[in-house]
Amino acid sequence: MVYDTIEVEAPLRRVYDQWTQFEEFPRFMDGVEEVRQLDDRLCHWRTKVAGATREFDTEIVDQLPDERIAWRTVGGDVRQKGVVTFEQIDESHTLVRLKMEVEPSGLADRAAQAMGVVEQRIEGDLHRFKDFIEDRDKATGGWRGRLRPADSAGGTEGADTPTYGMPREDDSPAHGMPPAAPGGMPRRDGPPPYDGPVAP
């Protein structure tokens, strides 16, 4: 498991909103060439690392505005899962925590993992994200819908669900989290548009 944190000099809402703009990831994530938002849960990725191009899909398993986004791969050349959490330090500072598990797919991946290459890339990505959001007055977009593990393709059970000690399904006020917003989920801001939530 890879774990890293960074303090960002920007309000919680701006930091969270920017992270929901997955198609902007190539602007600060090393080796990420393209991310296409397919629907509210699914993204298609194309990466190029050490000369090797890989394509894969990720599913958002759990998304709670201003608190966390958890994901896992559901197809393609890469197997990983992770969660990013957001914590307000004060009105102008936010703590971002990122935890990931990456399953090496070959000898080169295992060697890179042993040398700490994944950790170095994640640390660099977080620092570039910090610079990216601190250099602007507002996020490039934002999506504040709620996605629950129970509604994902795999449900809440199974080894691939990336909980990492985070709350799973119960978002009641008794657990310190706001209840889910009524009604449907709004469309994400920013290109490309798509037609509302799509059932997994």
Side-chain angles (χ1 to χ4, degrees), residues 54 102-119:
R54 293 179 175 177
V102 180
E103 182 180 315
S105 60
L107 186 59
D109 284 351
R110 286 192 289 273
Q113 194 171 66
M115 292 186 295
V117 173
V118 177
E119 289 89 342

mmCIF file of all heavy atoms in Angstrom, residues 54 102-119:
data_model
loop_
_atom_site.group_PDB
_atom_site.id
_atom_site.type_symbol
_atom_site.label_atom_id
_atom_site.label_comp_id
_atom_site.label_asym_id
_atom_site.label_seq_id
_atom_site.Cartn_x
_atom_site.Cartn_y
_atom_site.Cartn_z
ATOM 1 N N ARG A 54 -0.568 1.894 -21.455
ATOM 2 C CA ARG A 54 -1.597 1.021 -20.886
ATOM 3 C C ARG A 54 -2.926 1.752 -20.864
ATOM 4 O O ARG A 54 -2.969 2.967 -20.672
ATOM 5 C CB ARG A 54 -1.215 0.594 -19.462
ATOM 6 C CG ARG A 54 0.007 -0.303 -19.417
ATOM 7 C CD ARG A 54 0.369 -0.677 -18.009
ATOM 8 N NE ARG A 54 1.470 -1.634 -17.991
ATOM 9 C CZ ARG A 54 2.037 -2.090 -16.888
ATOM 10 N NH1 ARG A 54 1.616 -1.683 -15.705
ATOM 11 N NH2 ARG A 54 3.025 -2.963 -16.951
ATOM 12 N N VAL A 102 -1.524 -0.992 -5.612
ATOM 13 C CA VAL A 102 -1.280 -1.270 -7.021
ATOM 14 C C VAL A 102 -0.721 -2.677 -7.133
ATOM 15 O O VAL A 102 0.273 -3.017 -6.485
ATOM 16 C CB VAL A 102 -0.286 -0.261 -7.624
ATOM 17 C CG1 VAL A 102 -0.048 -0.574 -9.095
ATOM 18 C CG2 VAL A 102 -0.779 1.166 -7.450
ATOM 19 N N GLU A 103 -1.368 -3.501 -7.944
ATOM 20 C CA GLU A 103 -0.914 -4.883 -8.142
ATOM 21 C C GLU A 103 0.027 -4.929 -9.343
ATOM 22 O O GLU A 103 -0.394 -4.648 -10.471
ATOM 23 C CB GLU A 103 -2.109 -5.807 -8.375
ATOM 24 C CG GLU A 103 -1.737 -7.265 -8.548
ATOM 25 C CD GLU A 103 -2.961 -8.131 -8.764
ATOM 26 O OE1 GLU A 103 -3.952 -7.947 -8.036
ATOM 27 O OE2 GLU A 103 -2.922 -8.978 -9.678
ATOM 28 N N PRO A 104 1.301 -5.248 -9.127
ATOM 29 C CA PRO A 104 2.237 -5.305 -10.261
ATOM 30 C C PRO A 104 1.833 -6.397 -11.239
ATOM 31 O O PRO A 104 1.427 -7.490 -10.844
ATOM 32 C CB PRO A 104 3.584 -5.602 -9.599
ATOM 33 C CG PRO A 104 3.253 -6.202 -8.275
ATOM 34 C CD PRO A 104 1.944 -5.614 -7.852
ATOM 35 N N SER A 105 1.955 -6.093 -12.544
ATOM 36 C CA SER A 105 1.509 -7.042 -13.562
ATOM 37 C C SER A 105 2.659 -7.775 -14.238
ATOM 38 O O SER A 105 2.433 -8.584 -15.118
ATOM 39 C CB SER A 105 0.669 -6.314 -14.619
ATOM 40 O OG SER A 105 1.430 -5.296 -15.235
ATOM 41 N N GLY A 106 3.883 -7.487 -13.850
ATOM 42 C CA GLY A 106 5.015 -8.164 -14.480
ATOM 43 C C GLY A 106 6.296 -7.859 -13.743
ATOM 44 O O GLY A 106 6.312 -7.160 -12.723
ATOM 45 N N LEU A 107 7.383 -8.383 -14.268
ATOM 46 C CA LEU A 107 8.689 -8.215 -13.632
ATOM 47 C C LEU A 107 9.085 -6.745 -13.507
ATOM 48 O O LEU A 107 9.576 -6.304 -12.470
ATOM 49 C CB LEU A 107 9.749 -8.988 -14.420
ATOM 50 C CG LEU A 107 11.158 -9.026 -13.815
ATOM 51 C CD1 LEU A 107 11.133 -9.653 -12.439
ATOM 52 C CD2 LEU A 107 12.103 -9.774 -14.730
ATOM 53 N N ALA A 108 8.842 -5.967 -14.567
ATOM 54 C CA ALA A 108 9.210 -4.548 -14.538
ATOM 55 C C ALA A 108 8.423 -3.807 -13.467
ATOM 56 O O ALA A 108 8.964 -2.952 -12.751
ATOM 57 C CB ALA A 108 8.983 -3.916 -15.907
ATOM 58 N N ASP A 109 7.125 -4.124 -13.352
ATOM 59 C CA ASP A 109 6.303 -3.485 -12.330
ATOM 60 C C ASP A 109 6.778 -3.841 -10.930
ATOM 61 O O ASP A 109 6.822 -2.991 -10.036
ATOM 62 C CB ASP A 109 4.836 -3.899 -12.485
ATOM 63 C CG ASP A 109 4.158 -3.197 -13.650
ATOM 64 O OD1 ASP A 109 4.770 -2.269 -14.217
ATOM 65 O OD2 ASP A 109 3.029 -3.577 -13.985
ATOM 66 N N ARG A 110 7.126 -5.100 -10.736
ATOM 67 C CA ARG A 110 7.590 -5.522 -9.409
ATOM 68 C C ARG A 110 8.914 -4.844 -9.056
ATOM 69 O O ARG A 110 9.135 -4.433 -7.914
ATOM 70 C CB ARG A 110 7.722 -7.042 -9.343
ATOM 71 C CG ARG A 110 6.372 -7.752 -9.276
ATOM 72 C CD ARG A 110 6.530 -9.219 -8.931
ATOM 73 N NE ARG A 110 7.103 -9.979 -10.044
ATOM 74 C CZ ARG A 110 6.370 -10.517 -11.017
ATOM 75 N NH1 ARG A 110 5.049 -10.358 -11.041
ATOM 76 N NH2 ARG A 110 6.952 -11.211 -11.991
ATOM 77 N N ALA A 111 9.788 -4.705 -10.037
ATOM 78 C CA ALA A 111 11.062 -4.026 -9.794
ATOM 79 C C ALA A 111 10.830 -2.554 -9.462
ATOM 80 O O ALA A 111 11.452 -2.009 -8.542
ATOM 81 C CB ALA A 111 11.963 -4.151 -11.015
ATOM 82 N N ALA A 112 9.919 -1.912 -10.201
ATOM 83 C CA ALA A 112 9.617 -0.510 -9.939
ATOM 84 C C ALA A 112 9.023 -0.330 -8.551
ATOM 85 O O ALA A 112 9.347 0.620 -7.832
ATOM 86 C CB ALA A 112 8.653 0.026 -11.000
ATOM 87 N N GLN A 113 8.154 -1.275 -8.164
ATOM 88 C CA GLN A 113 7.543 -1.209 -6.836
ATOM 89 C C GLN A 113 8.606 -1.370 -5.754
ATOM 90 O O GLN A 113 8.609 -0.649 -4.746
ATOM 91 C CB GLN A 113 6.467 -2.289 -6.710
ATOM 92 C CG GLN A 113 5.539 -2.109 -5.527
ATOM 93 C CD GLN A 113 4.384 -3.082 -5.581
ATOM 94 O OE1 GLN A 113 4.565 -4.296 -5.474
ATOM 95 N NE2 GLN A 113 3.178 -2.570 -5.752
ATOM 96 N N ALA A 114 9.537 -2.295 -5.956
ATOM 97 C CA ALA A 114 10.601 -2.531 -4.975
ATOM 98 C C ALA A 114 11.494 -1.306 -4.821
ATOM 99 O O ALA A 114 12.028 -1.048 -3.733
ATOM 100 C CB ALA A 114 11.427 -3.742 -5.378
ATOM 101 N N MET A 115 11.670 -0.544 -5.887
ATOM 102 C CA MET A 115 12.532 0.634 -5.838
ATOM 103 C C MET A 115 11.790 1.891 -5.373
ATOM 104 O O MET A 115 12.374 2.975 -5.330
ATOM 105 C CB MET A 115 13.158 0.883 -7.218
ATOM 106 C CG MET A 115 14.164 -0.178 -7.627
ATOM 107 S SD MET A 115 15.022 0.234 -9.171
ATOM 108 C CE MET A 115 13.668 0.188 -10.357
ATOM 109 N N GLY A 116 10.518 1.753 -5.076
ATOM 110 C CA GLY A 116 9.757 2.901 -4.591
ATOM 111 C C GLY A 116 9.333 3.874 -5.665
ATOM 112 O O GLY A 116 9.025 5.030 -5.372
ATOM 113 N N VAL A 117 9.301 3.415 -6.920
ATOM 114 C CA VAL A 117 8.941 4.312 -8.022
ATOM 115 C C VAL A 117 7.503 4.803 -7.881
ATOM 116 O O VAL A 117 7.207 5.981 -8.126
ATOM 117 C CB VAL A 117 9.147 3.605 -9.381
ATOM 118 C CG1 VAL A 117 8.614 4.461 -10.525
ATOM 119 C CG2 VAL A 117 10.621 3.289 -9.595
ATOM 120 N N VAL A 118 6.585 3.913 -7.480
ATOM 121 C CA VAL A 118 5.173 4.294 -7.338
ATOM 122 C C VAL A 118 5.031 5.385 -6.285
ATOM 123 O O VAL A 118 4.332 6.388 -6.490
ATOM 124 C CB VAL A 118 4.303 3.074 -6.989
ATOM 125 C CG1 VAL A 118 2.857 3.504 -6.770
ATOM 126 C CG2 VAL A 118 4.383 2.025 -8.095
ATOM 127 N N GLU A 119 5.718 5.216 -5.150
ATOM 128 C CA GLU A 119 5.652 6.208 -4.086
ATOM 129 C C GLU A 119 6.158 7.565 -4.573
ATOM 130 O O GLU A 119 5.572 8.609 -4.275
ATOM 131 C CB GLU A 119 6.477 5.760 -2.874
ATOM 132 C CG GLU A 119 5.869 4.603 -2.096
ATOM 133 C CD GLU A 119 6.304 3.241 -2.628
ATOM 134 O OE1 GLU A 119 6.791 3.173 -3.781
ATOM 135 O OE2 GLU A 119 6.144 2.249 -1.899
#
